[in-house]
Short mmCIF file of all heavy atoms in Angstrom, two decimals:
data_model
loop_
_atom_site.label_atom_id
_atom_site.label_comp_id
_atom_site.label_asym_id
_atom_site.label_seq_id
_atom_site.Cartn_x
_atom_site.Cartn_y
_atom_site.Cartn_z
N SER A 1 0.80 -1.22 0.00
CA SER A 1 0.00 0.00 0.00
C SER A 1 0.84 1.27 0.00
O SER A 1 0.30 2.37 -0.20
CB SER A 1 -0.94 0.01 1.21
OG SER A 1 -0.20 0.00 2.43
N GLN A 2 2.16 1.13 0.21
CA GLN A 2 3.06 2.29 0.16
C GLN A 2 4.34 1.88 -0.57
O GLN A 2 4.45 0.76 -1.05
CB GLN A 2 3.35 2.81 1.57
CG GLN A 2 2.10 3.34 2.28
CD GLN A 2 2.42 4.14 3.52
OE1 GLN A 2 3.26 5.03 3.50
NE2 GLN A 2 1.74 3.82 4.62
N HIS A 3 5.30 2.79 -0.67
CA HIS A 3 6.47 2.54 -1.50
C HIS A 3 7.28 1.35 -0.99
O HIS A 3 7.36 1.07 0.21
CB HIS A 3 7.34 3.78 -1.65
CG HIS A 3 7.82 4.40 -0.38
ND1 HIS A 3 8.90 3.93 0.32
CD2 HIS A 3 7.38 5.49 0.30
CE1 HIS A 3 9.11 4.70 1.39
NE2 HIS A 3 8.19 5.65 1.40
N VAL A 4 7.86 0.62 -1.94
CA VAL A 4 8.65 -0.58 -1.66
C VAL A 4 10.12 -0.20 -1.75
O VAL A 4 10.58 0.32 -2.76
CB VAL A 4 8.32 -1.70 -2.65
CG1 VAL A 4 9.04 -2.99 -2.26
CG2 VAL A 4 6.82 -1.94 -2.72
N ASP A 5 10.87 -0.49 -0.68
CA ASP A 5 12.26 -0.01 -0.59
C ASP A 5 13.31 -1.10 -0.75
O ASP A 5 14.48 -0.79 -1.01
CB ASP A 5 12.47 0.69 0.75
CG ASP A 5 11.77 2.03 0.82
OD1 ASP A 5 11.73 2.72 -0.21
OD2 ASP A 5 11.24 2.37 1.89
N CYS A 6 12.95 -2.37 -0.57
CA CYS A 6 13.98 -3.42 -0.61
C CYS A 6 13.37 -4.73 -1.07
O CYS A 6 12.18 -5.00 -0.86
CB CYS A 6 14.66 -3.57 0.75
SG CYS A 6 13.52 -3.73 2.16
N VAL A 7 14.22 -5.54 -1.71
CA VAL A 7 13.80 -6.86 -2.19
C VAL A 7 14.93 -7.86 -1.95
O VAL A 7 16.10 -7.49 -1.86
CB VAL A 7 13.43 -6.86 -3.69
CG1 VAL A 7 12.14 -6.12 -3.93
CG2 VAL A 7 14.56 -6.31 -4.52
N ALA A 8 14.55 -9.13 -1.90
CA ALA A 8 15.51 -10.24 -1.89
C ALA A 8 14.91 -11.35 -2.72
O ALA A 8 13.68 -11.43 -2.89
CB ALA A 8 15.79 -10.71 -0.46
N ILE A 9 15.75 -12.23 -3.26
CA ILE A 9 15.28 -13.30 -4.13
C ILE A 9 16.00 -14.59 -3.78
O ILE A 9 17.18 -14.58 -3.38
CB ILE A 9 15.48 -12.91 -5.62
CG1 ILE A 9 14.76 -13.88 -6.56
CG2 ILE A 9 16.96 -12.83 -5.96
CD1 ILE A 9 14.70 -13.41 -8.00
N SER A 10 15.29 -15.71 -3.90
CA SER A 10 15.89 -17.01 -3.60
C SER A 10 16.90 -17.38 -4.67
O SER A 10 16.95 -16.81 -5.76
CB SER A 10 14.80 -18.08 -3.51
OG SER A 10 14.13 -18.23 -4.75
N ASP A 11 17.73 -18.39 -4.36
CA ASP A 11 18.79 -18.80 -5.28
C ASP A 11 18.25 -19.17 -6.66
O ASP A 11 18.86 -18.86 -7.68
CB ASP A 11 19.55 -19.99 -4.69
CG ASP A 11 20.47 -19.58 -3.55
OD1 ASP A 11 20.64 -18.37 -3.33
OD2 ASP A 11 21.03 -20.48 -2.90
N ASN A 12 17.09 -19.84 -6.68
CA ASN A 12 16.54 -20.28 -7.98
C ASN A 12 15.50 -19.32 -8.55
O ASN A 12 14.90 -19.60 -9.60
CB ASN A 12 15.94 -21.69 -7.85
CG ASN A 12 14.73 -21.72 -6.91
OD1 ASN A 12 14.31 -20.70 -6.38
ND2 ASN A 12 14.20 -22.91 -6.71
N GLY A 13 15.27 -18.20 -7.86
CA GLY A 13 14.36 -17.19 -8.37
C GLY A 13 12.89 -17.47 -8.14
O GLY A 13 12.03 -16.70 -8.59
N SER A 14 12.56 -18.54 -7.41
CA SER A 14 11.15 -18.90 -7.23
C SER A 14 10.45 -18.10 -6.13
O SER A 14 9.22 -18.00 -6.13
CB SER A 14 11.03 -20.39 -6.93
OG SER A 14 11.66 -20.72 -5.70
N ILE A 15 11.20 -17.54 -5.20
CA ILE A 15 10.65 -16.77 -4.09
C ILE A 15 11.25 -15.37 -4.09
O ILE A 15 12.47 -15.21 -4.20
CB ILE A 15 10.93 -17.44 -2.73
CG1 ILE A 15 10.28 -18.83 -2.67
CG2 ILE A 15 10.42 -16.57 -1.58
CD1 ILE A 15 8.77 -18.82 -2.69
N ILE A 16 10.39 -14.37 -3.97
CA ILE A 16 10.82 -12.98 -3.79
C ILE A 16 10.26 -12.48 -2.46
O ILE A 16 9.10 -12.77 -2.12
CB ILE A 16 10.35 -12.08 -4.94
CG1 ILE A 16 11.05 -12.44 -6.25
CG2 ILE A 16 10.58 -10.60 -4.62
CD1 ILE A 16 10.55 -11.67 -7.45
N VAL A 17 11.06 -11.74 -1.73
CA VAL A 17 10.61 -11.10 -0.49
C VAL A 17 10.77 -9.60 -0.68
O VAL A 17 11.79 -9.12 -1.20
CB VAL A 17 11.44 -11.57 0.72
CG1 VAL A 17 10.96 -10.90 1.99
CG2 VAL A 17 11.37 -13.08 0.86
N SER A 18 9.76 -8.84 -0.30
CA SER A 18 9.79 -7.39 -0.46
C SER A 18 9.48 -6.70 0.85
O SER A 18 8.71 -7.20 1.67
CB SER A 18 8.79 -6.94 -1.54
OG SER A 18 7.48 -7.40 -1.24
N GLY A 19 10.08 -5.53 1.06
CA GLY A 19 9.86 -4.75 2.27
C GLY A 19 9.40 -3.36 1.92
O GLY A 19 9.94 -2.73 1.00
N SER A 20 8.41 -2.85 2.64
CA SER A 20 7.76 -1.60 2.27
C SER A 20 7.63 -0.64 3.43
O SER A 20 7.71 -1.03 4.61
CB SER A 20 6.37 -1.91 1.70
OG SER A 20 5.59 -0.75 1.53
N PHE A 21 7.38 0.62 3.07
CA PHE A 21 7.07 1.65 4.06
C PHE A 21 5.71 1.40 4.70
O PHE A 21 5.38 2.02 5.71
CB PHE A 21 7.11 3.02 3.40
CG PHE A 21 7.16 4.17 4.37
CD1 PHE A 21 8.28 4.40 5.14
CD2 PHE A 21 6.07 5.03 4.52
CE1 PHE A 21 8.33 5.45 6.04
CE2 PHE A 21 6.11 6.09 5.42
CZ PHE A 21 7.25 6.29 6.18
N ASP A 22 4.93 0.46 4.13
CA ASP A 22 3.64 0.11 4.74
C ASP A 22 3.79 -0.80 5.95
O ASP A 22 2.82 -1.32 6.48
CB ASP A 22 2.69 -0.51 3.71
CG ASP A 22 3.15 -1.88 3.19
OD1 ASP A 22 4.11 -2.45 3.74
OD2 ASP A 22 2.55 -2.36 2.21
N LYS A 23 5.07 -1.06 6.35
CA LYS A 23 5.42 -1.81 7.55
C LYS A 23 5.34 -3.32 7.37
O LYS A 23 5.47 -4.07 8.35
CB LYS A 23 4.56 -1.40 8.77
CG LYS A 23 4.52 0.10 9.03
CD LYS A 23 3.55 0.44 10.15
CE LYS A 23 3.37 1.94 10.31
NZ LYS A 23 2.39 2.29 11.37
N THR A 24 5.13 -3.79 6.15
CA THR A 24 5.01 -5.23 5.94
C THR A 24 6.17 -5.78 5.13
O THR A 24 6.78 -5.10 4.32
CB THR A 24 3.71 -5.60 5.20
OG1 THR A 24 3.77 -5.13 3.85
CG2 THR A 24 2.50 -5.02 5.90
N VAL A 25 6.44 -7.06 5.40
CA VAL A 25 7.31 -7.89 4.57
C VAL A 25 6.39 -8.85 3.83
O VAL A 25 5.57 -9.54 4.46
CB VAL A 25 8.33 -8.68 5.42
CG1 VAL A 25 9.12 -9.64 4.54
CG2 VAL A 25 9.26 -7.74 6.15
N ARG A 26 6.51 -8.90 2.50
CA ARG A 26 5.64 -9.79 1.72
C ARG A 26 6.49 -10.84 1.01
O ARG A 26 7.57 -10.55 0.52
CB ARG A 26 4.81 -8.99 0.73
CG ARG A 26 3.93 -7.98 1.46
CD ARG A 26 2.72 -7.55 0.70
NE ARG A 26 1.89 -6.71 1.55
CZ ARG A 26 0.58 -6.52 1.39
NH1 ARG A 26 -0.04 -7.15 0.40
NH2 ARG A 26 -0.10 -5.74 2.19
N VAL A 27 5.95 -12.06 1.00
CA VAL A 27 6.63 -13.20 0.40
C VAL A 27 5.83 -13.64 -0.82
O VAL A 27 4.63 -13.91 -0.71
CB VAL A 27 6.76 -14.36 1.40
CG1 VAL A 27 7.58 -15.49 0.80
CG2 VAL A 27 7.39 -13.88 2.71
N TRP A 28 6.51 -13.71 -1.98
CA TRP A 28 5.84 -13.98 -3.24
C TRP A 28 6.37 -15.27 -3.88
O TRP A 28 7.56 -15.54 -3.82
CB TRP A 28 6.09 -12.83 -4.22
CG TRP A 28 5.81 -11.47 -3.70
CD1 TRP A 28 6.68 -10.65 -3.02
CD2 TRP A 28 4.59 -10.72 -3.80
NE1 TRP A 28 6.09 -9.46 -2.70
CE2 TRP A 28 4.80 -9.47 -3.16
CE3 TRP A 28 3.35 -10.99 -4.38
CZ2 TRP A 28 3.81 -8.49 -3.10
CZ3 TRP A 28 2.36 -10.01 -4.30
CH2 TRP A 28 2.59 -8.79 -3.66
N ASP A 29 5.46 -16.02 -4.50
CA ASP A 29 5.81 -17.19 -5.28
C ASP A 29 5.79 -16.80 -6.76
O ASP A 29 4.72 -16.56 -7.32
CB ASP A 29 4.81 -18.32 -5.02
CG ASP A 29 5.12 -19.60 -5.78
OD1 ASP A 29 6.09 -19.60 -6.57
OD2 ASP A 29 4.38 -20.58 -5.60
N THR A 30 6.96 -16.71 -7.37
CA THR A 30 7.03 -16.23 -8.75
C THR A 30 6.50 -17.25 -9.75
O THR A 30 6.27 -16.92 -10.92
CB THR A 30 8.48 -15.88 -9.15
OG1 THR A 30 9.29 -17.07 -9.10
CG2 THR A 30 9.06 -14.85 -8.18
N ARG A 31 6.27 -18.48 -9.31
CA ARG A 31 5.75 -19.51 -10.21
C ARG A 31 4.24 -19.44 -10.35
O ARG A 31 3.66 -20.05 -11.25
CB ARG A 31 6.16 -20.89 -9.71
CG ARG A 31 7.67 -21.12 -9.68
CD ARG A 31 8.06 -22.31 -8.85
NE ARG A 31 7.71 -22.12 -7.44
CZ ARG A 31 8.08 -22.92 -6.46
NH1 ARG A 31 8.82 -23.98 -6.73
NH2 ARG A 31 7.72 -22.69 -5.21
N SER A 32 3.57 -18.67 -9.47
CA SER A 32 2.13 -18.51 -9.57
C SER A 32 1.77 -17.62 -10.75
O SER A 32 2.53 -16.72 -11.13
CB SER A 32 1.59 -17.91 -8.27
OG SER A 32 0.20 -17.73 -8.34
N SER A 33 0.61 -17.82 -11.31
CA SER A 33 0.26 -17.16 -12.57
C SER A 33 -0.24 -15.73 -12.42
O SER A 33 -0.25 -14.97 -13.38
CB SER A 33 -0.81 -17.97 -13.32
OG SER A 33 -1.98 -18.11 -12.50
N ASN A 34 -0.67 -15.32 -11.22
CA ASN A 34 -1.14 -13.94 -11.05
C ASN A 34 -0.82 -13.43 -9.65
O ASN A 34 -0.54 -14.20 -8.74
CB ASN A 34 -2.64 -13.81 -11.34
CG ASN A 34 -3.47 -14.74 -10.47
OD1 ASN A 34 -3.49 -14.59 -9.27
ND2 ASN A 34 -4.15 -15.71 -11.10
N SER A 35 -0.87 -12.11 -9.48
CA SER A 35 -0.42 -11.47 -8.24
C SER A 35 -1.17 -11.92 -6.99
O SER A 35 -0.54 -12.21 -5.97
CB SER A 35 -0.48 -9.95 -8.38
OG SER A 35 0.58 -9.48 -9.17
N PRO A 36 -2.51 -11.98 -6.97
CA PRO A 36 -3.18 -12.38 -5.72
C PRO A 36 -2.73 -13.74 -5.22
O PRO A 36 -2.48 -13.93 -4.03
CB PRO A 36 -4.67 -12.37 -6.11
CG PRO A 36 -4.75 -11.39 -7.23
CD PRO A 36 -3.47 -11.56 -8.01
N GLN A 37 -2.62 -14.72 -6.14
CA GLN A 37 -2.19 -16.05 -5.73
C GLN A 37 -0.69 -16.13 -5.48
O GLN A 37 -0.21 -17.02 -4.79
CB GLN A 37 -2.59 -17.08 -6.79
CG GLN A 37 -4.05 -17.50 -6.73
CD GLN A 37 -5.00 -16.38 -7.16
OE1 GLN A 37 -4.70 -15.68 -8.11
NE2 GLN A 37 -6.10 -16.23 -6.46
N ALA A 38 0.06 -15.19 -6.06
CA ALA A 38 1.51 -15.18 -5.88
C ALA A 38 1.90 -14.81 -4.46
O ALA A 38 2.98 -15.18 -3.98
CB ALA A 38 2.16 -14.21 -6.86
N LEU A 39 1.05 -14.06 -3.77
CA LEU A 39 1.36 -13.64 -2.40
C LEU A 39 1.19 -14.82 -1.45
O LEU A 39 0.09 -15.32 -1.24
CB LEU A 39 0.45 -12.49 -1.97
CG LEU A 39 0.69 -11.95 -0.56
CD1 LEU A 39 2.09 -11.38 -0.42
CD2 LEU A 39 -0.36 -10.88 -0.21
N LEU A 40 2.29 -15.26 -0.87
CA LEU A 40 2.28 -16.38 0.07
C LEU A 40 2.03 -15.93 1.50
O LEU A 40 1.27 -16.56 2.24
CB LEU A 40 3.61 -17.14 -0.01
CG LEU A 40 3.95 -17.81 -1.34
CD1 LEU A 40 5.34 -18.43 -1.26
CD2 LEU A 40 2.91 -18.87 -1.68
N GLN A 41 2.69 -14.84 1.90
CA GLN A 41 2.59 -14.36 3.27
C GLN A 41 2.74 -12.85 3.31
O GLN A 41 3.45 -12.26 2.48
CB GLN A 41 3.69 -14.97 4.15
CG GLN A 41 3.68 -16.47 4.27
CD GLN A 41 4.79 -16.96 5.16
OE1 GLN A 41 4.72 -16.84 6.38
NE2 GLN A 41 5.84 -17.50 4.56
N SER A 42 2.10 -12.23 4.29
CA SER A 42 2.32 -10.83 4.60
C SER A 42 2.64 -10.74 6.08
O SER A 42 1.80 -11.08 6.94
CB SER A 42 1.07 -9.99 4.27
OG SER A 42 1.31 -8.62 4.55
N LEU A 43 3.85 -10.33 6.40
CA LEU A 43 4.35 -10.30 7.77
C LEU A 43 4.28 -8.87 8.28
O LEU A 43 4.93 -7.97 7.73
CB LEU A 43 5.79 -10.83 7.81
CG LEU A 43 6.01 -12.15 7.05
CD1 LEU A 43 7.48 -12.52 7.05
CD2 LEU A 43 5.17 -13.27 7.66
N ASP A 44 3.50 -8.65 9.33
CA ASP A 44 3.17 -7.27 9.72
C ASP A 44 3.57 -6.91 11.14
O ASP A 44 2.97 -6.04 11.77
CB ASP A 44 1.67 -7.03 9.53
CG ASP A 44 0.81 -7.98 10.35
OD1 ASP A 44 1.36 -8.80 11.11
OD2 ASP A 44 -0.43 -7.89 10.24
#
């Protein structure tokens, strides 16, 4: 919901983690076909 300042990616590129000014860390599955299903976790 706010600007994203940092990212990390797994060795094989299948997982991305992002950190935002919205106070959350989000974990994404890049193998999923669309954004809603790609979000695995939101750590708040």
Side-chain angles (χ1 to χ4, degrees):
S1 62
Q2 296 193 49
H3 56 81
V4 186
D5 289 323
C6 50
V7 289
I9 191 169
S10 63
D11 286 351
N12 65 2
S14 64
I15 299 294
I16 292 175
V17 181
S18 56
S20 170
F21 195 68
D22 66 10
K23 308 175 187 178
T24 69
V25 174
R26 300 203 174 204
V27 185
W28 309 88
D29 181 357
T30 64
R31 297 164 296 189
S32 179
S33 59
N34 56 64
S35 285
Q37 281 70 41
L39 181 62
L40 297 176
Q41 299 181 75
S42 181
L43 312 175
D44 59 2

